[in-house]
């Protein structure tokens, strides 16, 4: 497996555009490094410095290589390069947009639904997304990884609650952990009899595919419990050949993959891009899971779209893609009330002139409406 990856990487390098400056070998984690790599002009660097004082910045070499420096609107650059628009905050934005704090019984653990908990194993990421919903806590000063004592407390919390069926590892990006640490986590939570599913939410297979090593995969599989990996990716170009290979290594090892995408203005808010992204996931054997409506974190209003636009895009996808390619469009309710699907809806109750129930009207994938009869008596 290793040698074929080396070959694929070499073949891919041959075809990459020549006009780019030398490829970054290490992650670019400062405005100076981004400017030096030719990704920020001197005027933009000036503004970006102010942004970087407030929010973390990092771009991995594969993502830097994907950015088209000649396109001011490049959707990859837009996701990762600091912009002065981030300094603008609006009233509906919040420092804890999805209400994690309200549901955190032990450090790093969020228990919002009866059957599952989410554990923030790391508070750092290999890239920092400019629209991150946890940007106030991720990549800031302090411990990068959840401490051993906090992890013990989280484990005790889960072990004491038989209703917990699934443990979700998130962050930050939990695949920033070493394989050794992942193994410890998997063995510990995998040993809890009532926990049946371990789910990892990550951007690593796309933004740092070299981290998906044989030892990481072995670590993920070091319990008998079902393991799922949910990949966060927002634009079809993120699914490079290396990314697809990294996902194939996970999937071939028996780890099913899901996707999650944030609907972002100027990145993926058109039918073609979203359709291409969902198809790219399915072609890579990744089942589209969620399309997230943007959470209102501080300084992200330049990415925001109305819910109507998301619904329109979902309708357009249903009109042209297979069911396998369709995610559900969800909103994390501000205040910590969890995620709910936000449409569009295809079913409408019909009533006659006096307001009595008169069956339903349902829309098909072409947008035509069909009546489907009177309601059955209950
Ligand atoms: C998003 C989230 C989950 C996972 O929700 P699913 O709908 O199962 O994907 C679980 N716990 C918390 C706290 C979450 O924010
Ligand atoms: S990878 Fe996730 S946690 Fe990290 S910056 Fe991006 S959205 Fe935030």
């Amino acid at each position: 497996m290793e040698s074929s990856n080396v070959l694929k990487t070499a073949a891919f390098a041959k075809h990459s555009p020549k006009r780019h400056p030398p490829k970054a070998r290490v992650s670019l984690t400062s405005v100076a490094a981004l400017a030096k790599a030719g990704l920020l002009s001197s005027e933009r660097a000036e503004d970006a410095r102010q942004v970087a004082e407030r929010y973390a910045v990092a771009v991995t070499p594969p993502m830097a290589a994907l950015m088209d420096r000649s396109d001011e609107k490049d959707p990859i650059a837009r996701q990762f390069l600091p912009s002065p628009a981030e300094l603008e905050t609006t009233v509906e934005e919040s420092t804890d947009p999805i209400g994690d704090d309200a549901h955190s019984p032990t450090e790093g653990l969020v228990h919002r639904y009866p059957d599952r908990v989410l554990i923030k194993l790391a508070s750092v990421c290999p890239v920092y997304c400019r629209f991150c919903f946890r940007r106030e806590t991720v990549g800031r000063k302090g411990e990068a990884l959840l401490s051993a004592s906090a992890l013990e407390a989280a484990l005790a919390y889960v072990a004491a609650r038989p209703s917990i069926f699934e443990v979700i590892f998130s962050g930050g990006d939990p695949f920033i952990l070493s394989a050794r640490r992942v193994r410890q986590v998997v063995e510990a939570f995998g040993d809890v009899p009532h926990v049946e599913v371990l789910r990892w939410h990550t951007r690593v297979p796309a933004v740092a595919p070299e981290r998906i090593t044989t030892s990481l995969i072995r670590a993920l599989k070091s319990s008998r419990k079902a393991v799922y990996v949910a990949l966060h990716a927002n634009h079809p170009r993120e699914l490079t050949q290396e990314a697809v290979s990294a996902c194939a290594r996970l999937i071939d090892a028996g780890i099913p993959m899901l996707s999650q995408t944030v609907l972002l203005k100027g990145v993926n808010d058109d039918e073609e891009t979203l359709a291409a992204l969902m198809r790219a996931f399915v072609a890579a054997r990744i089942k589209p899971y969620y399309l997230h409506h943007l959470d209102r974190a501080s300084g992200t209003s330049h990415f925001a779209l109305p819910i109507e636009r998301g619904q329109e895009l979902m309708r357009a996808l249903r009109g042209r893609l297979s069911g396998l390619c369709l995610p559900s469009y969800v909103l994390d309710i501000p205040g910590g009330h969890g995620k709910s699907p936000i449409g569009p809806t295809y079913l409408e109750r019909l009533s006659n002139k006096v307001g009595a129930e008169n069956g339903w009207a349902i829309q098909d994938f072409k947008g035509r409406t069909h009546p489907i009869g009177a309601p059955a008596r209950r």
Side-chain angles (χ1 to χ4, degrees):
M1 200 195 253
E2 298 287 299
S3 66
S4 76
N5 289 330
V6 170
L7 283 176
K8 275 185 196 145
T9 310
F12 186 73
K14 235 188 278 168
H15 297 295
S16 65
K18 288 271 185 314
R19 63 199 155 80
H20 287 351
K23 273 195 180 169
R25 284 164 190 276
V26 294
S27 287
L28 307 165
T29 56
S30 68
V31 169
L34 291 171
K36 195 163 165 229
L39 295 170
L40 285 178
S41 65
S42 46
E43 312 101 88
R44 273 200 73 183
E46 201 49 54
D47 292 329
R49 248 171 227 117
Q50 246 182 301
V51 177
E53 275 170 27
R54 171 113 198 246
Y55 305 110
V57 170
V59 178
T60 55
M63 291 301 107
L66 272 187
M67 291 176 192
D68 180 351
R69 290 159 169 86
S70 65
D71 179 3
E72 260 183 44
K73 297 195 166 130
D74 180 69
I76 309 299
R78 187 164 164 80
Q79 291 182 68
F80 301 120
L81 297 184
S83 149
E86 291 171 56
L87 299 169
E88 287 161 32
T89 51
T90 62
V91 285
E92 66 268 29
E93 291 174 352
S94 147
T95 54
D96 181 21
I98 69 166
D100 280 349
D101 296 348
H103 297 271
S104 185
T106 73
E107 189 194 335
L109 181 146
V110 188
H111 192 186
R112 186 170 286 144
Y113 305 107
D115 69 329
R116 55 213 191 272
V117 294
L118 181 145
I119 300 177
K120 297 184 243 184
L121 286 181
S123 60
V124 290
C125 302
V127 286
Y128 289 107
C129 312
R130 306 326 299 166
F131 48 85
C132 176
F133 65 134
R134 296 206 176 105
R135 62 190 331 210
E136 305 283 347
T137 50
V138 158
R140 312 311 297 271
K141 289 200 171 56
E143 291 290 324
L145 305 181
L146 198 61
S147 68
S149 60
L151 202 56
E152 277 302 316
L155 180 63
Y157 182 91
V158 170
R161 286 167 181 79
S163 66
I164 299 173
F165 164 77
E166 181 172 358
V167 177
I168 299 161
F169 299 109
S170 177
D173 199 313
F175 279 7
I176 206 104
L177 268 63
S178 67
R180 192 177 60 86
R181 201 128 176 174
V182 166
R183 176 179 291 271
Q184 290 168 352
V185 169
V186 169
E187 285 175 352
F189 287 89
D191 264 352
V192 179
H194 54 265
V195 171
E196 303 278 3
V197 177
L198 305 175
R199 192 202 316 173
W200 298 77
H201 279 232
T202 180
R203 280 201 94 151
V204 160
V207 303
E210 74 287 352
R211 294 191 67 90
I212 308 299
T213 57
T214 310
S215 50
L216 176 69
I217 293 169
R218 282 206 199 104
L220 288 169
K221 296 202 50 147
S222 59
S223 83
R224 282 187 215 237
K225 302 301 170 66
V227 180
Y228 286 75
V229 170
L231 172 68
H232 169 189
N234 303 317
H235 192 278
R237 261 165 53 207
E238 290 165 51
L239 298 176
T240 60
Q241 196 175 341
E242 287 90 344
V244 170
S245 303
C247 295
R249 296 196 286 280
L250 289 163
I251 299 164
D252 288 345
I255 300 173
M257 286 187 71
L258 309 166
S259 74
Q260 46 174 359
T261 294
V262 184
L263 182 61
L264 297 165
K265 187 174 175 180
V267 173
N268 56 18
D269 60 327
D270 64 279
E271 205 181 311
E272 273 63 45
T273 305
L274 271 187
L277 175 63
M278 297 307 151
R279 283 192 164 161
F281 283 138
V282 171
R285 293 179 283 163
I286 301 167
K287 170 70 188 102
Y289 181 46
Y290 281 154
L291 177 66
H292 294 274
H293 190 73
L294 182 73
D295 297 314
R296 306 311 302 269
S298 306
T300 61
S301 58
H302 53 303
F303 288 111
L305 289 161
I307 287 176
E308 290 86 342
R309 179 65 186 140
Q311 293 180 328
E312 199 174 86
L313 286 164
M314 283 299 296
R315 264 184 207 285
L317 292 187
R318 180 163 286 281
R320 60 189 277 190
L321 298 183
S322 87
L324 260 187
C325 296
L326 295 175
S328 40
Y329 180 37
V330 294
L331 170 77
D332 225 309
I333 304 169
H337 307 285
K339 289 183 255 301
S340 285
I342 52 171
T345 48
Y346 292 87
L347 193 61
E348 193 192 344
R349 191 125 232 178
L350 293 177
S351 47
N352 63 22
K353 287 210 181 82
V354 289
E357 280 182 14
N358 203 12
W360 301 92
I362 187 163
Q363 256 177 44
D364 67 20
F365 73 102
K366 291 182 175 166
R368 296 172 306 202
T369 302
H370 308 270
I372 50 167
R377 300 233 170 266
R378 268 200 289 200

